[in-house]
Amino acid sequence: MPSVHFDHVSKRFGATTVVEDFNLEVADGELLVLVGGSGSGKTTILRMLAGLEEVTEGMIRIDQRDVTALPPRERDVAMVFQDYGLYPHMTVRENLSLGLRLRKVARKEIDRRVAWAGDMLRLEPLLDRKPKQLSGGQQQRVAMGRAMVREPLVFLFDEPLSNLDAGLRAQMRIEIGGLQRRLKTTTVYVTHDQVEAMTLGDRIVVLADGRIQQVGKPIELYRAPVNRFVAGFIGTPPMNFVDGQLLREDGSTVFAAEGVRVQLPHEIADGTGSSEVVTLGIRPEDLTVDSGDSTDAPADSIPGRVVLVERLGGTSHVHFDAGPHRLLASVSNDRLPEVGDSITVRVRAERVHLFGGDGRKT
Amino acid sequence: MKTLGRIALYAGLTVAALTFIYPFLWMASATFKPPAEVGTLALIPDNITLDNYRTMWARAPFGRALLNSTMVAGTITLAVLVFGSMTAYAMARLRFRGRPALNAVTLAVLLVPGQLTLIPMYTLVVQLGWIDTYAALIVPYLFNATAILMMRQFFLQMPQSLIDSARMDGMGELRILFTIFWPLSKPVLSIVAIFTFMGSWNEVLWPLLVVREQQLMTLPQLLTVFALGGGAGSIGVSLASAMVLVVPVVIAYAFLQRNFIESMASSGVKG
Amino acid sequence: MRAEQRSGSLMAAPYAAFLLVFAAYPIAFALVLVFLQWDLVTTPSFAGLDNVRLLANDGRFWRAVANTFVFLSIHLPLQIATALVLALALNRPLVLRSFWRASFFLPVVISGAVVAILWSNLYATDVGLINRLLVRIGLTPVPWLTDPSTAMPAIAAMVTWKNVGFYVIIYLAGLQYIPRSCQEAIEMEGATAWQRFRHLTLPMLLPQTILVVTLSTINGFQLFIEPYVMTGGGPLRRTYSIVLYLYTNAFSYQKMGYAATIGVALALIIGAVVFIQRRVIGKEETL
Ligand SMILES: Nc1ncnc2c1ncn2[C@@H]1O[C@H](COP(=O)(O)OP(=O)(O)O)[C@@H](O)[C@H]1O
Ligand SMILES: [Mg+2]
């Protein structure tokens, strides 16, 4: 039984449409991640669900109840904001308990919940401090605690980690994931960081320009992106794209572009037309670098010249030019080429993606 | 050379400071002098007397005027803070129809010199039957465009997430304003409070127009009427009556001079 | 949000109503009054352009306007000069800096009525403090407020004294914005203190100077309590101010139409003078 339901929801600010015909179900207890670039409408969607922003068209239901016209306090949702939104003039304890006090929850119950959240988030020693006396990570935990003590039907997170430094961000990501699994509270989590989306989400919604591009489990988005946008958005380093043409040669199909030729397996080539203009997508980890000249190279390999090698420790990124195309291969560290080397790059042809002129998967 | 320059600088500053302070010291001391001594330059009277104060107090209702002034300035200040901040909050943080127009009109109102509206305001008050009432002294000052714009400017800088959190916590807008914004806006609220109170406390022209009844006069008005009407009879008595107006202000100024200077300088009020 | 829209309208409604009654209506009615004759007792009668014609030929009104210009011609240069000098003195590392500042600002917080009463006594011909000082250093006493040629200058000096602290604060704020690098650069050029002032400080303070000129001009046109208390407009009407004349027409003569006409004329004159001043002194800066 879905606990959150978006039904043909649109949002316009004056004449500009920011969210268009948004349909989504969030299952009970699920952690759903909304991911998309800046300005794609993530915050707007979350704020509509919270009741902070009016819905122009459509309906939102929470736990089967139509909440479209209800103010935030009647929706039983709690939200964690990007800049936390803690009350600077109140102590942590007051920040945590205010929402409950305003809802006339019994004193004892408030104390119990504050103690519970304080224990789970290790906030006890901080309860009598003001937000200014806390580190960024601590403020973040207070903001989460404030949402937790409300024991709402739905948690909303709006880029909660983007104000933290990288190390803390990774740690808090794990903490949030763990908490959510323990509490089993339905959660909508907004981020622009696809790594966060991949690691946290039960399911991911990819947004662009206020429209859903794809909804699915993280691995589905990675393995089978439905369009070029999703393919480029999910995965680090991002997928390589080469514009070219499909040619029929001796009963098999070949992708051809200047400097790049890849023979396509039947599963991928099926259903495509000849001479069709397409974009080839190859993930950097599906490229293997062989050093040396390309004269005796296998047929499905690309000759290239190394322009940059980024050594990351475990794996490295080899940037190389193949004809006019700048491509990136993600390789293990054993046999790294040097800048300027001529290399032969093998493509795992069964893993490539083809996108038509409209950007959709062919 | 350097030292000489510094000596000259401090000598100059001392002369300047004396120029501003000495007249008030002289005034204070004159109120304790018998009539024969008033003209002297000395600050310490040979014969200290309280006669000037006794006479002043007996001849005109200065106690009542002190009360009136406190009441009027206090009410106006409270109203400007409470109603003004409500307006400023709406103008800064709530989207409603007519908001841009209200902003524009508020800016325009600041450009109209008070003398243009003085007579129509006066006839309005006459027609409302407010002559010789507190309403005439208070109601036209319940809102203050300068104060609203200042508070609006301050409120604009508050993070949106603060409002959002409060709404999620179940607060209404008034509650957000008074329990979240007010505690965080003390700087601007104190600036507004000071210049509003001072402006009202020192105002003379308007009370002179709308109040004739001595019992309702504010301090500066009664003081002016008293001095001009010859009620004082002597310099010492008239200066003693001025002291009633000055002393509370100087005491407040002594403690809060930073706030006073910041407040009055930022609003353009000049007593 | 609908709710937001509703609370917004509700919270702003009292102010909107207030503006209507105490801003829009008076402004509109001021323009109506110009064409009326009204003593507040009988019903107002339409007077056509009588008020305007009367004003154009009213020697007392133009006397008051001329007096204001006399006032400004003394007050403005004096105000700028004293404020600048004191601000420059304060704008350096000083012992007791906030004390000096606070003492300069003291008259600003004191009621104009008190200042006027106090200075009537300081200016008094026989017993006034100032004349006693003059006599002590061997000069002859001056009948400050009773001589037609000295009365207005005396008031102008007093108003300068009262307000200078306010303008010192404005100049101090301006001085803080002159970048240190500019000062160092001009010092490297070997400029003398005067050259530094003339070619760096003064031009950099132009916005503040414009502000000082504008505010003290407006203030000057609104001169009221000082002549009201100190001279009653005399001697020989030489200190009669526009607002004093407006007040007298309304309060003593009950001529509402004419008083309102003076108010409208005053607003126009202020607007015109401030506009011309800005044209003359500065092209780029605004309030
Ligand atoms: N109050 C508003 N008025 C007008 N446009 C807005 C408003 N809020 C957001 N937008 C616009 O809506 C789009 C989506 O914004 P937002 O939901 O904040 O995106 P995201 O959170 O994905 O970065 C942006 O183009 C933004 O400029
Ligand atoms: Mg956002």
mmCIF file of all heavy atoms in Angstrom, chain A residues 47 52-53 72-73 77 79 81 83 85-87 89 98-99 102-103 146 150, chain B residues 95 159-162 164-172 175 179-180 183-184:
data_model
loop_
_atom_site.group_PDB
_atom_site.id
_atom_site.type_symbol
_atom_site.label_atom_id
_atom_site.label_comp_id
_atom_site.label_asym_id
_atom_site.label_seq_id
_atom_site.Cartn_x
_atom_site.Cartn_y
_atom_site.Cartn_z
ATOM 1 N N ARG A 47 8.503 20.447 -1.284
ATOM 2 C CA ARG A 47 7.755 21.470 -0.553
ATOM 3 C C ARG A 47 6.249 21.341 -0.796
ATOM 4 O O ARG A 47 5.450 21.666 0.077
ATOM 5 C CB ARG A 47 8.252 22.865 -0.933
ATOM 6 C CG ARG A 47 9.634 23.189 -0.323
ATOM 7 C CD ARG A 47 10.220 24.463 -0.894
ATOM 8 N NE ARG A 47 9.314 25.586 -0.729
ATOM 9 C CZ ARG A 47 9.244 26.348 0.349
ATOM 10 N NH1 ARG A 47 10.041 26.111 1.360
ATOM 11 N NH2 ARG A 47 8.389 27.336 0.415
ATOM 12 N N LEU A 52 4.292 23.268 2.051
ATOM 13 C CA LEU A 52 4.896 24.602 2.109
ATOM 14 C C LEU A 52 4.692 25.351 0.798
ATOM 15 O O LEU A 52 4.920 26.550 0.725
ATOM 16 C CB LEU A 52 6.391 24.485 2.398
ATOM 17 C CG LEU A 52 6.737 23.919 3.775
ATOM 18 C CD1 LEU A 52 8.201 23.558 3.862
ATOM 19 C CD2 LEU A 52 6.369 24.928 4.857
ATOM 20 N N GLU A 53 4.293 24.617 -0.235
ATOM 21 C CA GLU A 53 4.119 25.235 -1.548
ATOM 22 C C GLU A 53 2.802 24.719 -2.105
ATOM 23 O O GLU A 53 2.493 23.538 -1.963
ATOM 24 C CB GLU A 53 5.292 24.835 -2.446
ATOM 25 C CG GLU A 53 5.493 25.688 -3.655
ATOM 26 C CD GLU A 53 6.135 27.023 -3.303
ATOM 27 O OE1 GLU A 53 7.324 27.054 -2.950
ATOM 28 O OE2 GLU A 53 5.416 28.032 -3.392
ATOM 29 N N PRO A 72 0.821 22.511 6.406
ATOM 30 C CA PRO A 72 1.839 21.543 6.836
ATOM 31 C C PRO A 72 1.490 20.860 8.158
ATOM 32 O O PRO A 72 1.705 19.669 8.304
ATOM 33 C CB PRO A 72 3.100 22.398 6.998
ATOM 34 C CG PRO A 72 2.856 23.650 6.266
ATOM 35 C CD PRO A 72 1.382 23.824 6.119
ATOM 36 N N ARG A 73 0.933 21.629 9.101
ATOM 37 C CA ARG A 73 0.779 21.017 10.427
ATOM 38 C C ARG A 73 -0.261 19.906 10.437
ATOM 39 O O ARG A 73 -0.276 19.096 11.337
ATOM 40 C CB ARG A 73 0.437 22.088 11.463
ATOM 41 C CG ARG A 73 -0.895 22.765 11.248
ATOM 42 C CD ARG A 73 -1.249 23.693 12.394
ATOM 43 N NE ARG A 73 -2.116 24.765 11.905
ATOM 44 C CZ ARG A 73 -1.676 25.919 11.446
ATOM 45 N NH1 ARG A 73 -0.386 26.158 11.442
ATOM 46 N NH2 ARG A 73 -2.510 26.840 10.997
ATOM 47 N N VAL A 77 3.894 15.161 8.378
ATOM 48 C CA VAL A 77 5.186 14.923 7.745
ATOM 49 C C VAL A 77 6.217 15.782 8.475
ATOM 50 O O VAL A 77 5.874 16.779 9.093
ATOM 51 C CB VAL A 77 5.186 15.313 6.251
ATOM 52 C CG1 VAL A 77 4.224 14.444 5.480
ATOM 53 C CG2 VAL A 77 4.836 16.768 6.078
ATOM 54 N N MET A 79 10.331 17.479 8.084
ATOM 55 C CA MET A 79 11.287 17.775 7.018
ATOM 56 C C MET A 79 12.639 18.191 7.596
ATOM 57 O O MET A 79 12.704 18.872 8.614
ATOM 58 C CB MET A 79 10.713 18.916 6.164
ATOM 59 C CG MET A 79 11.516 19.271 4.941
ATOM 60 S SD MET A 79 10.409 20.029 3.713
ATOM 61 C CE MET A 79 11.598 20.742 2.586
ATOM 62 N N PHE A 81 15.949 20.320 6.496
ATOM 63 C CA PHE A 81 16.290 21.296 5.469
ATOM 64 C C PHE A 81 17.791 21.321 5.189
ATOM 65 O O PHE A 81 18.594 20.981 6.044
ATOM 66 C CB PHE A 81 15.837 22.693 5.900
ATOM 67 C CG PHE A 81 14.350 22.796 6.065
ATOM 68 C CD1 PHE A 81 13.756 22.533 7.282
ATOM 69 C CD2 PHE A 81 13.539 23.150 4.996
ATOM 70 C CE1 PHE A 81 12.385 22.608 7.435
ATOM 71 C CE2 PHE A 81 12.173 23.230 5.143
ATOM 72 C CZ PHE A 81 11.591 22.966 6.358
ATOM 73 N N ASP A 83 19.790 23.873 4.994
ATOM 74 C CA ASP A 83 20.531 24.657 5.982
ATOM 75 C C ASP A 83 19.937 24.460 7.380
ATOM 76 O O ASP A 83 20.086 25.297 8.251
ATOM 77 C CB ASP A 83 20.576 26.142 5.591
ATOM 78 C CG ASP A 83 19.179 26.707 5.392
ATOM 79 O OD1 ASP A 83 18.218 25.932 5.485
ATOM 80 O OD2 ASP A 83 19.048 27.919 5.166
ATOM 81 N N GLY A 85 17.563 24.945 9.259
ATOM 82 C CA GLY A 85 16.423 25.690 9.791
ATOM 83 C C GLY A 85 16.243 25.544 11.285
ATOM 84 O O GLY A 85 15.126 25.569 11.790
ATOM 85 N N LEU A 86 17.340 25.405 12.014
ATOM 86 C CA LEU A 86 17.218 25.329 13.476
ATOM 87 C C LEU A 86 16.943 26.725 14.023
ATOM 88 O O LEU A 86 17.413 27.713 13.476
ATOM 89 C CB LEU A 86 18.507 24.777 14.081
ATOM 90 C CG LEU A 86 18.887 23.371 13.624
ATOM 91 C CD1 LEU A 86 20.219 22.962 14.237
ATOM 92 C CD2 LEU A 86 17.802 22.368 13.976
ATOM 93 N N TYR A 87 16.178 26.793 15.120
ATOM 94 C CA TYR A 87 15.906 28.099 15.730
ATOM 95 C C TYR A 87 17.133 28.542 16.517
ATOM 96 O O TYR A 87 17.475 27.920 17.517
ATOM 97 C CB TYR A 87 14.680 28.013 16.645
ATOM 98 C CG TYR A 87 13.482 27.364 15.975
ATOM 99 C CD1 TYR A 87 12.892 26.230 16.510
ATOM 100 C CD2 TYR A 87 12.961 27.879 14.791
ATOM 101 C CE1 TYR A 87 11.798 25.625 15.897
ATOM 102 C CE2 TYR A 87 11.881 27.286 14.170
ATOM 103 C CZ TYR A 87 11.301 26.159 14.725
ATOM 104 O OH TYR A 87 10.229 25.571 14.108
ATOM 105 N N HIS A 89 17.805 30.882 18.545
ATOM 106 C CA HIS A 89 17.686 31.407 19.902
ATOM 107 C C HIS A 89 17.187 30.354 20.873
ATOM 108 O O HIS A 89 16.933 30.657 22.024
ATOM 109 C CB HIS A 89 16.750 32.613 19.904
ATOM 110 C CG HIS A 89 15.393 32.304 19.362
ATOM 111 N ND1 HIS A 89 15.191 31.814 18.093
ATOM 112 C CD2 HIS A 89 14.162 32.397 19.923
ATOM 113 C CE1 HIS A 89 13.895 31.630 17.884
ATOM 114 N NE2 HIS A 89 13.253 31.970 18.985
ATOM 115 N N LEU A 98 9.837 21.653 20.328
ATOM 116 C CA LEU A 98 8.861 22.708 20.030
ATOM 117 C C LEU A 98 7.639 22.196 19.268
ATOM 118 O O LEU A 98 6.503 22.488 19.615
ATOM 119 C CB LEU A 98 9.538 23.839 19.250
ATOM 120 C CG LEU A 98 8.617 25.027 18.996
ATOM 121 C CD1 LEU A 98 8.220 25.678 20.300
ATOM 122 C CD2 LEU A 98 9.277 26.053 18.085
ATOM 123 N N GLY A 99 7.898 21.403 18.234
ATOM 124 C CA GLY A 99 6.793 20.905 17.426
ATOM 125 C C GLY A 99 5.815 20.088 18.253
ATOM 126 O O GLY A 99 4.603 20.151 18.060
ATOM 127 N N LEU A 102 3.836 22.433 20.604
ATOM 128 C CA LEU A 102 2.770 23.130 19.892
ATOM 129 C C LEU A 102 1.612 22.196 19.579
ATOM 130 O O LEU A 102 0.488 22.633 19.399
ATOM 131 C CB LEU A 102 3.313 23.736 18.596
ATOM 132 C CG LEU A 102 4.276 24.903 18.793
ATOM 133 C CD1 LEU A 102 4.945 25.262 17.488
ATOM 134 C CD2 LEU A 102 3.526 26.091 19.352
ATOM 135 N N ARG A 103 1.913 20.893 19.501
ATOM 136 C CA ARG A 103 0.829 19.934 19.245
ATOM 137 C C ARG A 103 0.237 19.420 20.534
ATOM 138 O O ARG A 103 -0.508 18.450 20.534
ATOM 139 C CB ARG A 103 1.375 18.774 18.411
ATOM 140 C CG ARG A 103 1.534 19.130 16.953
ATOM 141 C CD ARG A 103 2.158 18.008 16.165
ATOM 142 N NE ARG A 103 2.126 18.288 14.738
ATOM 143 C CZ ARG A 103 2.941 19.143 14.128
ATOM 144 N NH1 ARG A 103 3.857 19.783 14.819
ATOM 145 N NH2 ARG A 103 2.822 19.381 12.832
ATOM 146 N N ARG A 146 14.865 16.546 15.243
ATOM 147 C CA ARG A 146 13.625 17.301 15.292
ATOM 148 C C ARG A 146 12.551 16.634 14.433
ATOM 149 O O ARG A 146 11.372 16.638 14.777
ATOM 150 C CB ARG A 146 13.874 18.731 14.800
ATOM 151 C CG ARG A 146 12.652 19.592 14.868
ATOM 152 C CD ARG A 146 12.983 21.031 14.680
ATOM 153 N NE ARG A 146 13.514 21.297 13.353
ATOM 154 C CZ ARG A 146 13.789 22.507 12.908
ATOM 155 N NH1 ARG A 146 13.600 23.544 13.693
ATOM 156 N NH2 ARG A 146 14.268 22.695 11.710
ATOM 157 N N ARG A 150 8.945 13.844 16.045
ATOM 158 C CA ARG A 150 7.553 14.032 15.622
ATOM 159 C C ARG A 150 6.890 12.703 15.285
ATOM 160 O O ARG A 150 5.678 12.612 15.189
ATOM 161 C CB ARG A 150 7.521 14.955 14.405
ATOM 162 C CG ARG A 150 7.926 16.405 14.705
ATOM 163 C CD ARG A 150 6.703 17.243 14.867
ATOM 164 N NE ARG A 150 5.729 16.848 13.855
ATOM 165 C CZ ARG A 150 5.760 17.249 12.602
ATOM 166 N NH1 ARG A 150 6.650 18.116 12.212
ATOM 167 N NH2 ARG A 150 4.881 16.810 11.729
ATOM 168 N N ARG B 95 3.509 35.921 0.278
ATOM 169 C CA ARG B 95 3.085 36.344 -1.054
ATOM 170 C C ARG B 95 1.592 36.584 -1.020
ATOM 171 O O ARG B 95 0.826 35.690 -0.723
ATOM 172 C CB ARG B 95 3.427 35.265 -2.088
ATOM 173 C CG ARG B 95 4.887 35.298 -2.515
ATOM 174 C CD ARG B 95 5.233 34.055 -3.316
ATOM 175 N NE ARG B 95 5.318 32.890 -2.451
ATOM 176 C CZ ARG B 95 5.479 31.646 -2.881
ATOM 177 N NH1 ARG B 95 5.557 31.389 -4.154
ATOM 178 N NH2 ARG B 95 5.551 30.650 -2.027
ATOM 179 N N PRO B 159 16.683 33.262 6.921
ATOM 180 C CA PRO B 159 16.595 32.109 6.017
ATOM 181 C C PRO B 159 15.170 31.580 5.906
ATOM 182 O O PRO B 159 14.443 31.533 6.898
ATOM 183 C CB PRO B 159 17.511 31.066 6.665
ATOM 184 C CG PRO B 159 17.752 31.531 8.048
ATOM 185 C CD PRO B 159 17.515 33.003 8.095
ATOM 186 N N GLN B 160 14.794 31.195 4.697
ATOM 187 C CA GLN B 160 13.446 30.671 4.461
ATOM 188 C C GLN B 160 13.206 29.415 5.279
ATOM 189 O O GLN B 160 12.092 29.146 5.727
ATOM 190 C CB GLN B 160 13.270 30.383 2.959
ATOM 191 C CG GLN B 160 11.934 29.770 2.571
ATOM 192 C CD GLN B 160 10.754 30.686 2.853
ATOM 193 O OE1 GLN B 160 10.878 31.907 2.780
ATOM 194 N NE2 GLN B 160 9.624 30.106 3.196
ATOM 195 N N SER B 161 14.280 28.620 5.501
ATOM 196 C CA SER B 161 14.080 27.345 6.196
ATOM 197 C C SER B 161 13.593 27.556 7.625
ATOM 198 O O SER B 161 12.970 26.678 8.208
ATOM 199 C CB SER B 161 15.387 26.557 6.209
ATOM 200 O OG SER B 161 16.374 27.252 6.914
ATOM 201 N N LEU B 162 13.881 28.740 8.175
ATOM 202 C CA LEU B 162 13.408 29.034 9.525
ATOM 203 C C LEU B 162 11.873 29.104 9.534
ATOM 204 O O LEU B 162 11.206 28.555 10.411
ATOM 205 C CB LEU B 162 13.993 30.382 9.953
ATOM 206 C CG LEU B 162 14.356 30.592 11.410
ATOM 207 C CD1 LEU B 162 15.220 29.478 11.918
ATOM 208 C CD2 LEU B 162 15.073 31.929 11.552
ATOM 209 N N ASP B 164 9.958 27.798 7.190
ATOM 210 C CA ASP B 164 9.459 26.470 6.810
ATOM 211 C C ASP B 164 9.441 25.536 8.017
ATOM 212 O O ASP B 164 8.455 24.836 8.250
ATOM 213 C CB ASP B 164 10.343 25.881 5.707
ATOM 214 C CG ASP B 164 10.129 26.593 4.375
ATOM 215 O OD1 ASP B 164 9.105 27.285 4.244
ATOM 216 O OD2 ASP B 164 10.982 26.471 3.490
ATOM 217 N N SER B 165 10.543 25.540 8.779
ATOM 218 C CA SER B 165 10.595 24.669 9.962
ATOM 219 C C SER B 165 9.453 24.998 10.895
ATOM 220 O O SER B 165 8.786 24.110 11.421
ATOM 221 C CB SER B 165 11.896 24.873 10.740
ATOM 222 O OG SER B 165 12.985 24.656 9.932
ATOM 223 N N ALA B 166 9.247 26.293 11.109
ATOM 224 C CA ALA B 166 8.216 26.707 12.048
ATOM 225 C C ALA B 166 6.845 26.274 11.550
ATOM 226 O O ALA B 166 6.006 25.819 12.323
ATOM 227 C CB ALA B 166 8.260 28.218 12.247
ATOM 228 N N ARG B 167 6.625 26.394 10.257
ATOM 229 C CA ARG B 167 5.328 25.960 9.722
ATOM 230 C C ARG B 167 5.175 24.453 9.879
ATOM 231 O O ARG B 167 4.100 23.963 10.205
ATOM 232 C CB ARG B 167 5.206 26.356 8.249
ATOM 233 C CG ARG B 167 4.998 27.842 8.070
ATOM 234 C CD ARG B 167 4.798 28.193 6.602
ATOM 235 N NE ARG B 167 4.715 29.636 6.441
ATOM 236 C CZ ARG B 167 5.013 30.271 5.317
ATOM 237 N NH1 ARG B 167 5.407 29.591 4.262
ATOM 238 N NH2 ARG B 167 4.916 31.581 5.245
ATOM 239 N N MET B 168 6.267 23.723 9.628
ATOM 240 C CA MET B 168 6.194 22.271 9.808
ATOM 241 C C MET B 168 5.931 21.929 11.265
ATOM 242 O O MET B 168 5.283 20.941 11.575
ATOM 243 C CB MET B 168 7.505 21.604 9.364
ATOM 244 C CG MET B 168 7.890 21.809 7.923
ATOM 245 S SD MET B 168 6.782 21.023 6.757
ATOM 246 C CE MET B 168 7.162 19.309 6.998
ATOM 247 N N ASP B 169 6.487 22.738 12.153
ATOM 248 C CA ASP B 169 6.271 22.501 13.575
ATOM 249 C C ASP B 169 4.853 22.895 13.988
ATOM 250 O O ASP B 169 4.467 22.697 15.139
ATOM 251 C CB ASP B 169 7.291 23.288 14.414
ATOM 252 C CG ASP B 169 8.533 22.459 14.705
ATOM 253 O OD1 ASP B 169 8.456 21.230 14.547
ATOM 254 O OD2 ASP B 169 9.565 23.030 15.090
ATOM 255 N N GLY B 170 4.118 23.489 13.080
ATOM 256 C CA GLY B 170 2.721 23.769 13.360
ATOM 257 C C GLY B 170 2.411 25.202 13.754
ATOM 258 O O GLY B 170 1.365 25.492 14.301
ATOM 259 N N MET B 171 3.350 26.121 13.495
ATOM 260 C CA MET B 171 3.100 27.515 13.891
ATOM 261 C C MET B 171 2.329 28.264 12.809
ATOM 262 O O MET B 171 2.529 28.041 11.625
ATOM 263 C CB MET B 171 4.422 28.250 14.090
ATOM 264 C CG MET B 171 5.189 27.782 15.283
ATOM 265 S SD MET B 171 6.482 28.975 15.620
ATOM 266 C CE MET B 171 7.636 27.914 16.452
ATOM 267 N N GLY B 172 1.502 29.203 13.259
ATOM 268 C CA GLY B 172 0.879 30.147 12.342
ATOM 269 C C GLY B 172 1.811 31.325 12.130
ATOM 270 O O GLY B 172 2.843 31.449 12.794
ATOM 271 N N ARG B 175 2.584 33.617 15.134
ATOM 272 C CA ARG B 175 3.444 32.946 16.090
ATOM 273 C C ARG B 175 4.891 32.919 15.582
ATOM 274 O O ARG B 175 5.836 33.092 16.350
ATOM 275 C CB ARG B 175 2.920 31.541 16.312
ATOM 276 C CG ARG B 175 3.431 30.976 17.588
ATOM 277 C CD ARG B 175 2.813 29.613 17.817
ATOM 278 N NE ARG B 175 2.793 29.353 19.227
ATOM 279 C CZ ARG B 175 1.743 28.903 19.877
ATOM 280 N NH1 ARG B 175 0.619 28.692 19.243
ATOM 281 N NH2 ARG B 175 1.829 28.672 21.156
ATOM 282 N N THR B 179 7.481 34.628 17.982
ATOM 283 C CA THR B 179 8.354 33.726 18.757
ATOM 284 C C THR B 179 9.651 33.376 18.040
ATOM 285 O O THR B 179 10.606 32.956 18.677
ATOM 286 C CB THR B 179 7.637 32.414 19.145
ATOM 287 O OG1 THR B 179 7.329 31.688 17.962
ATOM 288 C CG2 THR B 179 6.369 32.684 19.930
ATOM 289 N N ILE B 180 9.685 33.522 16.706
ATOM 290 C CA ILE B 180 10.939 33.210 16.003
ATOM 291 C C ILE B 180 11.616 34.495 15.521
ATOM 292 O O ILE B 180 12.786 34.749 15.804
ATOM 293 C CB ILE B 180 10.682 32.282 14.793
ATOM 294 C CG1 ILE B 180 9.908 31.037 15.222
ATOM 295 C CG2 ILE B 180 11.997 31.912 14.128
ATOM 296 C CD1 ILE B 180 10.641 30.103 16.117
ATOM 297 N N PRO B 183 12.702 37.425 18.526
ATOM 298 C CA PRO B 183 13.932 37.213 19.305
ATOM 299 C C PRO B 183 15.196 37.360 18.459
ATOM 300 O O PRO B 183 16.251 37.696 18.974
ATOM 301 C CB PRO B 183 13.796 35.765 19.807
ATOM 302 C CG PRO B 183 12.354 35.441 19.706
ATOM 303 C CD PRO B 183 11.809 36.249 18.567
ATOM 304 N N LEU B 184 15.064 37.129 17.139
ATOM 305 C CA LEU B 184 16.247 37.210 16.277
ATOM 306 C C LEU B 184 16.416 38.607 15.679
ATOM 307 O O LEU B 184 17.371 38.863 14.966
ATOM 308 C CB LEU B 184 16.128 36.183 15.142
ATOM 309 C CG LEU B 184 16.009 34.731 15.611
ATOM 310 C CD1 LEU B 184 15.733 33.806 14.435
ATOM 311 C CD2 LEU B 184 17.278 34.312 16.334
#
